[in-house]
């Protein structure tokens, strides 16, 4: 204790020659200045005692780190950069007890007060968002409070606007002369780098493309458009343009230009006179350079109604009945890009009335609709489907739509909502309608809850429509015709009675200028829909569920399969047999 001040240092003695009760003699001005500038002995003592307390806290934190098998760090005097602080917002840092004290594009180091599941979830989110390695370090409460104080001095950064205004004149000037995919390549060869994005978007809108793919190859740059679900190469650009083009795309989408060895995701909003157009940008490193994919997301409300979907016969009547029930689950299934979201929104359009409250939870919101409360998932702020769904149910909705059921937690909350008076609409990734039930059970959903909650399951795909301007009849070869007859013969009696087996005609599109010589223009859905029956419910409760058994029971109950629905549309000159077999067989 020799380092501590003595009591005599703390209690100032009277000057020599003065009594204890007498005032001290006046000192010189220089003495007064010296005393005013120096801390008192009592302040020095308090500071010393505080340091001893801090030392004990750091020692305890160090011991706790050893017990938890984590590295320990003292952040009392650690220089934390503003870039590191911004990795975790202050509110989230206080809530989780986690701060970021070191940040590079490759590595994120976190100071953690108390390890646990919330910290693990945050680490996973940061790793996904920044594509970096995340390492936790145990810190004391003192270190944590010191870092929190730095947020008060964090410079305010104005958000980077990613809105780009493109006039109708600019779009029209690039659209002129772009009539076919071949004319597109000529246009790309003439345009400058500064205008190439405008040309790309204008031409994509002209040919109704959903995605633009720009890929570096050994000899050049390949530009491909996804039109009606199929990729078509529209241009080959010189290799030397690659870096400048990618840099411009990254700049507009607020991505890091100097990061080329990790995937990045961003978004750019185009301000058009007809409304906003969001373009989602994704980059990924490849052996010849980065691959860039831009997906067009129309912010305005898409006008597909329930009657426009392409549902027919018994499938139309069944689904119409199920969506008007006050509770239960209606699930759509299919791979990415099969039109599940469009189907759900066409249902919501039918149900959207003034006396009904509808809330959606999506990632992202692709279609905006008046009269509906739409909420977007944000994993970076720990706003997941499961957490969002809990909040959604507190908003007293009549109808809920969840963009996708991905895990057990979301599935259980959705099922409970369906059992407690809500109509729940959602999607799940399976290959067929009959695969939805085994998928739910494989997640861990309890059979006795799933069976009464599920109203109906929709399996769907999108097929290309025959261009009506170049449609002509075709003859199928013997093998293909045999397969077609087998599928049509197994139709439910009510649908089979509508088919004239002695007068079957099928069609193709030969290609014309209006469809860019593709023979197809636009898409339509093909569907299979089954509703819950006592037989299917018994199979679910028996714990011996298989996709094949569910399919058999659904067909026995009158379900038309996707392939059969497609062939009926082929007989109606809507699509081709090859197109049906491409997506449904």
């Amino acid at each position: 204790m020799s380092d501590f001040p003595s009591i005599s240092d703390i209690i100032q003695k009277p000057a020599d020659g003065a009594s204890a009760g007498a005032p001290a003699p006046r000192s010189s001005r220089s003495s007064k200045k010296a005393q005013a500038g120096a801390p008192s002995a009592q302040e020095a003592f308090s500071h010393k005692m505080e340091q001893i307390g801090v030392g004990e806290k750091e020692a305890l934190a160090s011991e706790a780190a050893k017990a938890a098998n984590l590295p320990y760090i003292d952040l009392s005097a650690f220089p934390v950069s503003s870039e590191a602080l911004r990795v975790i917002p202050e509110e989230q840092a206080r809530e989780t007890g986690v701060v970021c004290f070191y940040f590079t594009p490759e590595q994120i180091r976190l100071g953690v007060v108390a390890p646990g599941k919330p910290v693990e979830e945050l680490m996973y989110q940061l790793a996904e968002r920044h594509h970096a390695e995340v390492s936790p370090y145990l810190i004391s409460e003192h270190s944590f409070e010191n870092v929190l104080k730095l947020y008060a001095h964090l410079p305010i950064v104005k958000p980077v606007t990613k809105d780009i205004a493109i006039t109708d004149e600019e779009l029209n000037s690039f659209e002129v002369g772009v009539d076919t995919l071949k004319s597109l390549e000529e246009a790309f060869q003439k345009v400058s780098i500064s205008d190439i994005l405008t040309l790309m978007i204008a031409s994509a809108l002209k040919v109704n493309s959903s995605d633009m793919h720009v890929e570096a190859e050994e000899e050049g740059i390949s530009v491909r458009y996804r039109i009606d679900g199929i990729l078509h190469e529209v241009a080959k650009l010189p290799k030397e343009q690659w870096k400048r083009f990618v840099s411009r795309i990254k700049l507009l989408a607020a991505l890091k230009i100097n990061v080329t060895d990790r995937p990045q995701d961003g978004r750019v909003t185009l301000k058009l006179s007809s409304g906003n157009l969001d373009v989602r940008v994704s980059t990924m490193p490849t052996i010849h350079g980065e691959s860039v994919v831009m997906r067009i997301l129309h912010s305005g409300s898409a006008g597909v109604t329930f009657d426009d979907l392409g549902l027919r016969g018994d499938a139309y009547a069944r689904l119409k009945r199920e969506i008007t029930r006050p509770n239960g689950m209606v699930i759509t299934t299919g791979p990415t890009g099969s039109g599940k979201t469009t189907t759900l929104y066409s249902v919501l359009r039918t149900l959207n009335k003034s006396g009904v409250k509808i809330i959606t939870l999506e990632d992202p919101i692709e279609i905006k609709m008046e009269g509906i409360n739409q909420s977007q998932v944000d994993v970076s702020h720990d706003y997941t489907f499961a957490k969002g769904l809990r909040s959604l149910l507190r908003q007293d909705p009549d109808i809920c739509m969840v963009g996708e059921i991905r895990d057990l937690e979301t599935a259980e909350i959705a099922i409970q909502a369906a059992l407690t008076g809500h109509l729940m609409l959602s999607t799940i990734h399976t290959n067929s309608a009959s695969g939805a039930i085994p998928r739910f059970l494989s997640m861990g959903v309890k059979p006795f809850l799933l069976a009464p909650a599920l109203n109906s399951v929709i399996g769907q795909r999108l097929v290309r429509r025959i261009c009506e301007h170049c449609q002509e009849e075709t003859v199928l070869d013997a093998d293909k015709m045999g397969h077609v007859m087998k599928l049509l013969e197994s139709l439910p009696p009510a649908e089979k009675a509508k088919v004239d087996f002695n007068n079957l005609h099928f069609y193709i599109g030969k290609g014309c200028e209006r469809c860019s010589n593709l023979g197809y223009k636009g898409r339509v859905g093909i569907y299979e829909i089954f509703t819950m029956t006592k037989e299917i419910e018994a199979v679910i409760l028996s714990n011996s569920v298989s996709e094949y058994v569910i399919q058999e029971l659904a067909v026995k109950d009158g379900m038309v399969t996707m392939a059969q629905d497609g062939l009926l549309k082929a007989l109606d000159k809507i699509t081709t047999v090859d197109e049906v077999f491409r997506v449904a067989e």
Side-chain angles (χ1 to χ4, degrees):
M1 301 291 289
S2 58
D3 292 336
F4 291 174
S6 63
I7 297 299
S8 59
D9 291 328
I10 297 172
I11 303 172
Q12 295 184 13
K13 295 179 180 179
D16 292 341
S19 67
R26 294 178 180 271
S27 57
S28 65
R29 288 183 182 179
S30 60
S31 175
K32 283 182 179 178
K33 286 181 181 178
Q35 288 175 4
S40 68
Q42 188 166 0
E43 288 171 344
F45 177 70
S46 299
H47 179 70
K48 189 70 176 179
M49 293 300 293
E50 185 182 331
Q51 291 300 313
I52 290 174
V54 170
E56 289 178 353
K57 290 176 184 177
E58 296 301 331
L60 289 172
S62 179
E63 290 298 320
K66 290 177 184 177
N69 198 25
L70 286 174
Y72 156 78
I73 188 169
D74 181 0
L75 297 179
S76 301
F78 192 92
V80 180
S81 67
S82 57
E83 289 79 10
L85 276 181
R86 287 195 178 94
V87 170
I88 302 176
E90 183 179 3
E91 185 179 345
Q92 189 178 17
R94 291 183 182 277
E95 185 181 333
T96 58
V98 181
V99 290
C100 177
F101 64 88
Y102 180 81
F103 172 72
T104 67
E106 293 79 26
Q107 196 171 50
I108 295 173
R109 296 180 186 175
L110 305 178
V112 178
V113 175
K117 189 174 180 182
V119 175
E120 292 173 6
E121 290 177 356
L122 178 59
M123 289 173 60
Y124 174 78
Q125 292 165 13
L126 293 176
E128 287 287 300
R129 193 194 321 166
H130 296 279
H131 306 288
E133 180 186 345
V134 182
S135 307
Y137 288 72
L138 202 69
I139 61 173
S140 68
E141 286 279 359
H142 179 259
S143 287
F144 179 68
E145 292 296 332
N146 274 353
V147 177
L148 286 183
K149 291 174 184 175
L150 299 177
Y151 280 101
H153 307 289
L154 195 62
I156 297 174
V157 177
K158 293 182 180 179
V160 178
T161 176
K162 294 178 280 184
D163 293 354
I164 302 171
I166 298 180
T167 64
D168 289 341
E169 290 75 18
E170 287 177 303
L171 283 178
N172 292 334
S173 66
F174 285 115
E175 286 181 354
V176 171
V178 178
D179 299 317
T180 64
L181 296 182
K182 187 176 180 181
S183 62
L184 258 179
E185 183 163 11
E186 297 172 3
F188 272 107
Q189 299 292 346
K190 298 174 183 176
V191 76
S192 65
I193 288 291
S194 59
D195 291 331
I196 199 166
L197 181 62
T198 307
L199 168 64
M200 192 169 285
I201 291 166
S203 56
L205 294 175
K206 181 76 177 284
V207 298
N208 199 28
S209 169
S210 60
D211 300 82
M212 299 166 280
H213 295 239
V214 188
E215 300 153 341
E217 298 179 346
E218 189 172 3
E219 300 298 328
I221 305 169
S222 173
V223 180
R224 298 194 290 170
Y225 284 179
R226 189 176 293 281
I227 303 170
D228 294 332
I230 303 294
L231 277 174
H232 299 274
E233 188 168 294
V234 298
K236 282 278 189 182
L237 304 179
K239 185 85 172 183
E240 51 270 17
Q241 290 185 346
W242 177 244
K243 285 188 177 179
R244 287 185 296 158
F245 173 74
V246 174
S247 295
R248 176 155 177 78
I249 294 292
K250 285 183 170 182
L251 183 66
L252 295 174
L255 302 180
K256 296 176 181 177
I257 295 175
N258 61 329
V259 176
T260 59
D261 58 347
R262 295 195 317 280
Q264 294 190 77
D265 297 300
R267 181 180 289 220
V268 55
T269 300
L270 305 174
K271 298 287 187 180
L272 309 178
S273 61
S274 57
N276 292 346
L277 189 72
D278 287 339
V279 179
R280 194 165 60 199
V281 180
S282 171
T283 68
M284 188 180 78
T286 66
I287 57 172
H288 298 300
E290 289 178 280
S291 168
V292 180
V293 176
M294 292 170 281
R295 166 161 286 192
I296 297 174
L297 304 172
H298 293 273
S299 298
S301 173
V304 179
T305 65
F306 189 77
D307 292 333
D308 294 332
L309 289 175
L311 292 164
R312 54 195 296 150
D314 187 52
Y316 177 89
R318 285 187 182 209
L319 188 57
K320 192 83 171 178
R321 181 177 68 249
E322 294 303 323
I323 64 174
T324 55
R325 290 177 62 176
N327 58 279
M329 290 178 70
V330 175
I331 300 294
T332 64
T333 71
T336 301
S338 59
K340 299 186 297 296
T341 302
T342 301
T343 297
L344 290 181
Y345 265 97
S346 69
V347 171
L348 291 180
R349 231 174 240 104
T350 302
L351 302 175
N352 189 13
K353 298 172 183 175
S354 59
V356 176
K357 178 155 186 175
I358 302 174
I359 307 180
T360 74
L361 187 63
E362 304 167 70
D363 183 24
I365 296 171
E366 296 188 26
I367 301 171
K368 294 179 182 176
M369 189 183 296
E370 290 294 325
I372 291 178
N373 297 278
Q374 297 173 275
S375 182
Q376 181 161 317
V377 167
D378 186 357
V379 179
S380 65
H381 289 85
D382 199 26
Y383 184 48
T384 61
F385 275 114
K387 291 187 177 181
L389 186 50
R390 282 198 186 91
S391 300
L392 182 154
L393 294 174
R394 298 188 195 108
Q395 293 284 309
D396 187 31
D398 298 295
I399 300 167
C400 312
M401 194 270 270
V402 177
E404 184 182 345
I405 294 178
R406 299 175 179 174
D407 51 52
L408 175 60
E409 189 179 9
T410 308
E412 287 182 333
I413 300 169
I415 288 170
Q416 290 292 344
L419 291 171
T420 54
H422 304 87
L423 180 63
M424 176 64 64
L425 309 176
S426 192
T427 72
I428 191 169
H429 283 279
T430 61
N431 290 324
S432 64
S434 54
I437 291 173
R439 178 80 177 94
F440 272 116
L441 296 177
S442 70
M443 285 182 185
V445 171
K446 296 176 178 64
F448 64 86
L449 293 177
L450 178 63
L454 199 57
N455 289 358
S456 181
V457 181
I458 309 163
Q460 67 179 82
R461 296 288 190 281
L462 291 176
V463 293
R464 292 179 291 175
R465 289 179 177 269
I466 300 174
C467 175
E468 59 184 20
H469 300 286
C470 58
Q471 188 181 88
E472 65 178 19
E473 191 171 347
T474 187
V475 178
L476 304 182
D477 61 55
D479 289 342
K480 196 175 291 181
M481 192 64 184
H483 190 36
V484 168
M485 291 298 292
K486 183 180 177 181
L487 287 168
L488 292 177
E489 286 284 354
S490 59
L491 278 166
E495 293 294 335
K496 187 177 177 180
K498 300 175 185 176
V499 179
D500 184 359
F501 284 90
N502 296 318
N503 192 27
L504 299 178
H505 297 279
F506 298 99
Y507 300 83
I508 60 169
K510 65 180 180 180
C512 63
E513 285 190 2
R514 299 203 183 189
C515 62
S516 298
N517 291 315
L518 298 175
Y520 298 97
K521 193 169 182 65
R523 289 191 289 177
V524 67
I526 59 174
Y527 301 90
E528 58 184 26
I529 300 174
F530 76 81
T531 53
M532 187 58 67
T533 64
K534 290 181 180 179
E535 291 79 9
I536 294 176
E537 188 170 344
V539 169
I540 295 173
L541 296 174
S542 70
N543 286 322
S544 59
V545 180
S546 76
E547 186 173 338
Y548 178 75
V549 172
I550 299 292
Q551 177 92 356
E552 273 194 331
L553 291 173
V555 169
K556 182 182 176 183
D557 189 50
M559 182 182 81
V560 176
T561 67
M562 277 188 283
Q564 290 171 333
D565 186 44
L567 291 178
L568 292 174
K569 287 182 169 71
L571 287 171
D572 288 342
K573 303 183 182 181
I574 296 173
T575 189
T576 66
V577 172
D578 287 341
E579 186 68 4
V580 173
F581 288 163
R582 179 182 70 84
V583 302
E585 285 280 287

